[in-house]
Amino acid sequence: MKQQNDWYTGINHYDNYVEKEIGIERRIIDGPTDPYLHERVEIFYVLSGKGAISVNGYAYDAVPGSLFCMYSHHFHHVEAVEEKLDVAVIRFHIGLFMYMSWEKHPKHANARLVYDTKPMVRLSGEEKEEVEALVRSLLREAKEARFERLNMIEYKTLELHAYYCRYAYEEIGKASRKERTVWSIIEKVILATGEDITLEDMTEEGISPETMNRRIKEACGFTFFQLKQFGKVINACALLHFPELSMEYIGDQLNFSSAAAFYKVFKQYCGVTPREYQTEYIGTMVPGSGAGSAMQFLQYIHIHFSEDIRLEDLCEKFCMKPYTVKQIFKQVFGNPFEELLAQVRISYACSFLRTGDRTVLEIASLCGFNSQSTFQRHFKRWMNQTPEEYREVMREKPDKK
């Protein structure tokens, strides 16, 4: 078992504060990629190569010195590659940084950072040298297990994000670009969660609400109604990082009809109530707490669902005996580890089936199933239909309803 001789230094901070985990990787991209949803902020820095990255329907040049910052409302993918892209990718939870370092800005500056900035800035000269040195330092820290490695990664990631905010804010108003209408609507729906907007409000003259709803779904994979709910949940997750805000205030700010409605929608998308999310995901988890450990297990499964993970991996990761881990799954989730893992994998499979053109076999492999027949069996069990039937039903046009 892990020793805690110097407990007063907070040596277990990273074990108990999963949200502080920061993902860092270096990727070589030699062709277009598929769009995907992401909960964490994703920073891309192009070290070399030439291509185009599409963010919310608009293609940006990806060349050396391009610094992309995509929040959870940004749907993005590599659209084209002329020369292989060498990209550093840094992923982190925005709430942590909002809470620990959001300095006091001029009036409306924070709103402008969200609404008016572009997701990419092109760096050159000393600015490029500074940011690239920081990125390369992050890549080294992630690779070398040196003393204070995790703290260094956190500080440097915070600095990198601050650089993006500075440069993106300073670019506001310098250049205009033509938005694709449907993506302008998608961004507004996700971000303007405090307004009671309707599909009719978003529909232009000469276009029916049904047609607009279909265009929105074709672009991002969500219907208008789903997009509204998704946006509310994204913003709720951010606001929950501020403990001085009451649940009633957050629900009211996001235009929920009642606290009960807020709790219901949040749990539908996140699997936990807002209070549970605030306690288990944001606050430090209490060692030995079954509920806290269970949420750590669940997040670990969501992160590694595509891999060949076993219950033994959880035991090693969280320094627990197999009996203890099994008891936590039984008491908190009511299902053994294997059952919950299958459910999580099926939920991701449903997302892939709703969007994109991957084959059932590709989706089975992507979601961690060792064969198509195993995937088919689990899918039928949990969804009461085959993957093919599910895809057909979900892709029906809205105007056929």
Short mmCIF file of all heavy atoms in Angstrom, two decimals, residues 28-66:
data_model
loop_
_atom_site.label_atom_id
_atom_site.label_comp_id
_atom_site.label_asym_id
_atom_site.label_seq_id
_atom_site.Cartn_x
_atom_site.Cartn_y
_atom_site.Cartn_z
N ILE A 28 1.66 13.42 -34.95
CA ILE A 28 1.95 13.62 -36.37
C ILE A 28 0.66 13.32 -37.12
O ILE A 28 0.15 12.20 -37.06
CB ILE A 28 3.09 12.71 -36.86
CG1 ILE A 28 4.36 12.95 -36.04
CG2 ILE A 28 3.34 12.94 -38.35
CD1 ILE A 28 4.91 14.35 -36.16
N ILE A 29 0.13 14.30 -37.82
CA ILE A 29 -1.15 14.16 -38.52
C ILE A 29 -0.89 14.21 -40.02
O ILE A 29 -0.39 15.20 -40.54
CB ILE A 29 -2.14 15.26 -38.11
CG1 ILE A 29 -2.29 15.29 -36.58
CG2 ILE A 29 -3.50 15.06 -38.79
CD1 ILE A 29 -3.12 16.45 -36.07
N ASP A 30 -1.22 13.11 -40.71
CA ASP A 30 -0.92 13.05 -42.14
C ASP A 30 -2.16 13.06 -43.03
O ASP A 30 -2.07 12.87 -44.24
CB ASP A 30 -0.07 11.82 -42.47
CG ASP A 30 -0.72 10.53 -42.02
OD1 ASP A 30 -1.91 10.57 -41.61
OD2 ASP A 30 -0.05 9.49 -42.05
N GLY A 31 -3.33 13.27 -42.43
CA GLY A 31 -4.55 13.31 -43.22
C GLY A 31 -5.71 13.88 -42.42
O GLY A 31 -5.59 14.12 -41.21
N PRO A 32 -6.85 14.11 -43.06
CA PRO A 32 -8.02 14.67 -42.38
C PRO A 32 -8.48 13.77 -41.23
O PRO A 32 -8.28 12.56 -41.25
CB PRO A 32 -9.08 14.74 -43.48
CG PRO A 32 -8.29 14.79 -44.76
CD PRO A 32 -7.09 13.93 -44.51
N THR A 33 -9.09 14.38 -40.22
CA THR A 33 -9.62 13.65 -39.08
C THR A 33 -11.12 13.94 -38.96
O THR A 33 -11.64 14.86 -39.59
CB THR A 33 -8.92 14.04 -37.78
OG1 THR A 33 -9.12 15.45 -37.54
CG2 THR A 33 -7.43 13.75 -37.87
N ASP A 34 -11.82 13.16 -38.13
CA ASP A 34 -13.25 13.34 -37.93
C ASP A 34 -13.53 14.34 -36.80
O ASP A 34 -12.74 14.43 -35.84
CB ASP A 34 -13.92 12.01 -37.57
CG ASP A 34 -13.89 11.02 -38.73
OD1 ASP A 34 -13.92 11.48 -39.88
OD2 ASP A 34 -13.82 9.80 -38.47
N PRO A 35 -14.63 15.08 -36.87
CA PRO A 35 -15.01 15.97 -35.76
C PRO A 35 -15.32 15.14 -34.52
O PRO A 35 -15.72 13.98 -34.61
CB PRO A 35 -16.26 16.67 -36.28
CG PRO A 35 -16.26 16.46 -37.77
CD PRO A 35 -15.58 15.14 -37.98
N TYR A 36 -15.13 15.72 -33.35
CA TYR A 36 -15.47 15.03 -32.12
C TYR A 36 -15.76 16.04 -31.02
O TYR A 36 -15.31 17.19 -31.08
CB TYR A 36 -14.34 14.09 -31.68
CG TYR A 36 -13.03 14.76 -31.39
CD1 TYR A 36 -12.69 15.12 -30.09
CD2 TYR A 36 -12.11 15.04 -32.40
CE1 TYR A 36 -11.48 15.73 -29.81
CE2 TYR A 36 -10.90 15.65 -32.14
CZ TYR A 36 -10.58 16.00 -30.84
OH TYR A 36 -9.39 16.62 -30.56
N LEU A 37 -16.50 15.60 -30.01
CA LEU A 37 -16.80 16.44 -28.87
C LEU A 37 -15.74 16.22 -27.81
O LEU A 37 -15.18 15.14 -27.67
CB LEU A 37 -18.17 16.09 -28.31
CG LEU A 37 -19.37 16.30 -29.23
CD1 LEU A 37 -20.64 15.87 -28.54
CD2 LEU A 37 -19.46 17.75 -29.66
N HIS A 38 -15.44 17.25 -27.04
CA HIS A 38 -14.42 17.13 -26.01
C HIS A 38 -14.84 17.94 -24.81
O HIS A 38 -15.29 19.09 -24.93
CB HIS A 38 -13.06 17.62 -26.53
CG HIS A 38 -13.11 18.98 -27.16
ND1 HIS A 38 -12.71 20.12 -26.50
CD2 HIS A 38 -13.54 19.40 -28.38
CE1 HIS A 38 -12.88 21.16 -27.29
NE2 HIS A 38 -13.39 20.76 -28.44
N GLU A 39 -14.69 17.36 -23.64
CA GLU A 39 -15.08 18.04 -22.42
C GLU A 39 -14.03 19.05 -21.99
O GLU A 39 -14.35 20.12 -21.48
CB GLU A 39 -15.29 17.00 -21.31
CG GLU A 39 -15.65 17.61 -19.96
CD GLU A 39 -15.63 16.60 -18.85
OE1 GLU A 39 -15.41 15.40 -19.13
OE2 GLU A 39 -15.82 16.99 -17.69
N ARG A 40 -12.76 18.71 -22.18
CA ARG A 40 -11.69 19.58 -21.73
C ARG A 40 -11.29 20.59 -22.82
O ARG A 40 -11.59 20.42 -23.98
CB ARG A 40 -10.47 18.74 -21.34
CG ARG A 40 -10.71 17.88 -20.12
CD ARG A 40 -9.43 17.19 -19.66
NE ARG A 40 -9.02 16.12 -20.56
CZ ARG A 40 -7.92 15.40 -20.39
NH1 ARG A 40 -7.12 15.66 -19.36
NH2 ARG A 40 -7.61 14.44 -21.23
N VAL A 41 -10.62 21.63 -22.40
CA VAL A 41 -10.03 22.57 -23.35
C VAL A 41 -8.90 21.86 -24.09
O VAL A 41 -8.15 21.09 -23.48
CB VAL A 41 -9.47 23.81 -22.62
CG1 VAL A 41 -8.81 24.76 -23.60
CG2 VAL A 41 -10.58 24.52 -21.85
N GLU A 42 -8.78 22.10 -25.39
CA GLU A 42 -7.71 21.49 -26.17
C GLU A 42 -6.91 22.60 -26.86
O GLU A 42 -7.46 23.37 -27.65
CB GLU A 42 -8.27 20.52 -27.20
CG GLU A 42 -9.00 19.33 -26.57
CD GLU A 42 -9.27 18.22 -27.55
OE1 GLU A 42 -9.12 18.45 -28.77
OE2 GLU A 42 -9.63 17.12 -27.12
N ILE A 43 -5.62 22.67 -26.53
CA ILE A 43 -4.71 23.62 -27.18
C ILE A 43 -3.86 22.84 -28.19
O ILE A 43 -3.25 21.83 -27.84
CB ILE A 43 -3.82 24.33 -26.16
CG1 ILE A 43 -4.65 25.32 -25.32
CG2 ILE A 43 -2.69 25.07 -26.85
CD1 ILE A 43 -3.84 26.10 -24.30
N PHE A 44 -3.86 23.30 -29.44
CA PHE A 44 -3.01 22.74 -30.48
C PHE A 44 -1.96 23.79 -30.84
O PHE A 44 -2.30 24.94 -31.12
CB PHE A 44 -3.81 22.42 -31.75
CG PHE A 44 -4.64 21.16 -31.68
CD1 PHE A 44 -5.10 20.67 -30.48
CD2 PHE A 44 -4.99 20.50 -32.84
CE1 PHE A 44 -5.87 19.53 -30.41
CE2 PHE A 44 -5.76 19.35 -32.79
CZ PHE A 44 -6.21 18.86 -31.58
N TYR A 45 -0.69 23.39 -30.84
CA TYR A 45 0.35 24.28 -31.35
C TYR A 45 1.06 23.58 -32.48
O TYR A 45 1.58 22.46 -32.31
CB TYR A 45 1.36 24.67 -30.26
CG TYR A 45 2.42 25.60 -30.80
CD1 TYR A 45 2.15 26.96 -30.95
CD2 TYR A 45 3.68 25.13 -31.19
CE1 TYR A 45 3.11 27.83 -31.46
CE2 TYR A 45 4.64 25.99 -31.70
CZ TYR A 45 4.34 27.33 -31.84
OH TYR A 45 5.28 28.18 -32.38
N VAL A 46 1.09 24.21 -33.66
CA VAL A 46 1.69 23.60 -34.85
C VAL A 46 3.18 23.88 -34.85
O VAL A 46 3.62 25.04 -34.98
CB VAL A 46 1.03 24.14 -36.14
CG1 VAL A 46 1.66 23.47 -37.36
CG2 VAL A 46 -0.49 23.89 -36.11
N LEU A 47 3.97 22.81 -34.72
CA LEU A 47 5.42 22.93 -34.73
C LEU A 47 5.96 22.96 -36.16
O LEU A 47 6.90 23.69 -36.46
CB LEU A 47 6.05 21.77 -33.96
CG LEU A 47 5.74 21.77 -32.45
CD1 LEU A 47 6.00 20.38 -31.86
CD2 LEU A 47 6.58 22.81 -31.74
N SER A 48 5.37 22.15 -37.04
CA SER A 48 5.79 22.14 -38.44
C SER A 48 4.67 21.57 -39.28
O SER A 48 3.72 20.97 -38.77
CB SER A 48 7.07 21.33 -38.63
OG SER A 48 6.85 19.96 -38.34
N GLY A 49 4.79 21.73 -40.61
CA GLY A 49 3.78 21.21 -41.54
C GLY A 49 2.86 22.29 -42.05
O GLY A 49 3.00 23.48 -41.74
N LYS A 50 1.87 21.85 -42.85
CA LYS A 50 0.93 22.79 -43.44
C LYS A 50 -0.40 22.09 -43.69
O LYS A 50 -0.44 20.99 -44.24
CB LYS A 50 1.47 23.34 -44.76
CG LYS A 50 0.62 24.42 -45.40
CD LYS A 50 1.26 24.95 -46.67
CE LYS A 50 0.45 26.06 -47.30
NZ LYS A 50 1.07 26.56 -48.57
N GLY A 51 -1.47 22.73 -43.26
CA GLY A 51 -2.80 22.15 -43.45
C GLY A 51 -3.88 23.13 -43.05
O GLY A 51 -3.66 24.35 -43.01
N ALA A 52 -5.05 22.61 -42.73
CA ALA A 52 -6.18 23.44 -42.31
C ALA A 52 -6.96 22.71 -41.23
O ALA A 52 -7.22 21.51 -41.34
CB ALA A 52 -7.10 23.76 -43.49
N ILE A 53 -7.29 23.44 -40.17
CA ILE A 53 -8.10 22.90 -39.09
C ILE A 53 -9.43 23.64 -39.07
O ILE A 53 -9.46 24.87 -39.01
CB ILE A 53 -7.38 23.02 -37.73
CG1 ILE A 53 -6.12 22.14 -37.73
CG2 ILE A 53 -8.32 22.63 -36.59
CD1 ILE A 53 -5.34 22.21 -36.43
N SER A 54 -10.52 22.88 -39.14
CA SER A 54 -11.86 23.47 -39.13
C SER A 54 -12.37 23.56 -37.70
O SER A 54 -12.36 22.57 -36.97
CB SER A 54 -12.80 22.62 -39.99
OG SER A 54 -14.12 23.13 -39.92
N VAL A 55 -12.81 24.75 -37.32
CA VAL A 55 -13.38 24.97 -35.99
C VAL A 55 -14.75 25.62 -36.18
O VAL A 55 -14.86 26.71 -36.72
CB VAL A 55 -12.49 25.87 -35.12
CG1 VAL A 55 -13.07 25.98 -33.71
CG2 VAL A 55 -11.06 25.32 -35.06
N ASN A 56 -15.79 24.90 -35.75
CA ASN A 56 -17.16 25.38 -35.91
C ASN A 56 -17.44 25.84 -37.34
O ASN A 56 -18.02 26.91 -37.59
CB ASN A 56 -17.46 26.50 -34.92
CG ASN A 56 -17.71 25.96 -33.52
OD1 ASN A 56 -17.60 24.76 -33.28
ND2 ASN A 56 -18.04 26.83 -32.59
N GLY A 57 -17.01 25.01 -38.29
CA GLY A 57 -17.36 25.23 -39.69
C GLY A 57 -16.48 26.17 -40.45
O GLY A 57 -16.70 26.40 -41.64
N TYR A 58 -15.45 26.75 -39.82
CA TYR A 58 -14.57 27.68 -40.52
C TYR A 58 -13.15 27.11 -40.51
O TYR A 58 -12.63 26.71 -39.47
CB TYR A 58 -14.58 29.05 -39.85
CG TYR A 58 -13.82 30.10 -40.62
CD1 TYR A 58 -14.44 30.83 -41.63
CD2 TYR A 58 -12.48 30.34 -40.36
CE1 TYR A 58 -13.74 31.79 -42.35
CE2 TYR A 58 -11.77 31.29 -41.07
CZ TYR A 58 -12.41 32.01 -42.08
OH TYR A 58 -11.70 32.95 -42.78
N ALA A 59 -12.51 27.09 -41.69
CA ALA A 59 -11.18 26.51 -41.82
C ALA A 59 -10.10 27.55 -41.53
O ALA A 59 -10.09 28.63 -42.12
CB ALA A 59 -11.00 25.93 -43.22
N TYR A 60 -9.19 27.23 -40.62
CA TYR A 60 -8.05 28.08 -40.30
C TYR A 60 -6.77 27.42 -40.79
O TYR A 60 -6.60 26.20 -40.67
CB TYR A 60 -7.95 28.29 -38.79
CG TYR A 60 -9.11 29.04 -38.17
CD1 TYR A 60 -10.25 28.38 -37.75
CD2 TYR A 60 -9.07 30.42 -38.02
CE1 TYR A 60 -11.32 29.06 -37.19
CE2 TYR A 60 -10.12 31.12 -37.46
CZ TYR A 60 -11.24 30.43 -37.05
OH TYR A 60 -12.29 31.12 -36.50
N ASP A 61 -5.85 28.23 -41.29
CA ASP A 61 -4.56 27.70 -41.73
C ASP A 61 -3.80 27.15 -40.53
O ASP A 61 -3.69 27.81 -39.49
CB ASP A 61 -3.72 28.79 -42.40
CG ASP A 61 -4.30 29.20 -43.75
OD1 ASP A 61 -5.02 28.37 -44.35
OD2 ASP A 61 -4.03 30.33 -44.19
N ALA A 62 -3.27 25.94 -40.69
CA ALA A 62 -2.44 25.32 -39.65
C ALA A 62 -1.01 25.29 -40.17
O ALA A 62 -0.65 24.44 -40.99
CB ALA A 62 -2.94 23.92 -39.33
N VAL A 63 -0.21 26.24 -39.73
CA VAL A 63 1.18 26.36 -40.14
C VAL A 63 2.03 26.60 -38.90
O VAL A 63 1.47 26.89 -37.82
CB VAL A 63 1.36 27.52 -41.15
CG1 VAL A 63 0.59 27.25 -42.44
CG2 VAL A 63 0.91 28.84 -40.54
N PRO A 64 3.36 26.48 -38.98
CA PRO A 64 4.19 26.72 -37.81
C PRO A 64 3.89 28.07 -37.16
O PRO A 64 3.81 29.09 -37.83
CB PRO A 64 5.62 26.68 -38.38
CG PRO A 64 5.51 25.75 -39.54
CD PRO A 64 4.17 26.03 -40.14
N GLY A 65 3.66 28.03 -35.85
CA GLY A 65 3.31 29.26 -35.13
C GLY A 65 1.82 29.43 -34.90
O GLY A 65 1.41 30.35 -34.21
N SER A 66 0.99 28.53 -35.46
CA SER A 66 -0.46 28.61 -35.24
C SER A 66 -0.78 28.04 -33.86
O SER A 66 -0.44 26.90 -33.54
CB SER A 66 -1.21 27.81 -36.30
OG SER A 66 -1.03 28.37 -37.59
#
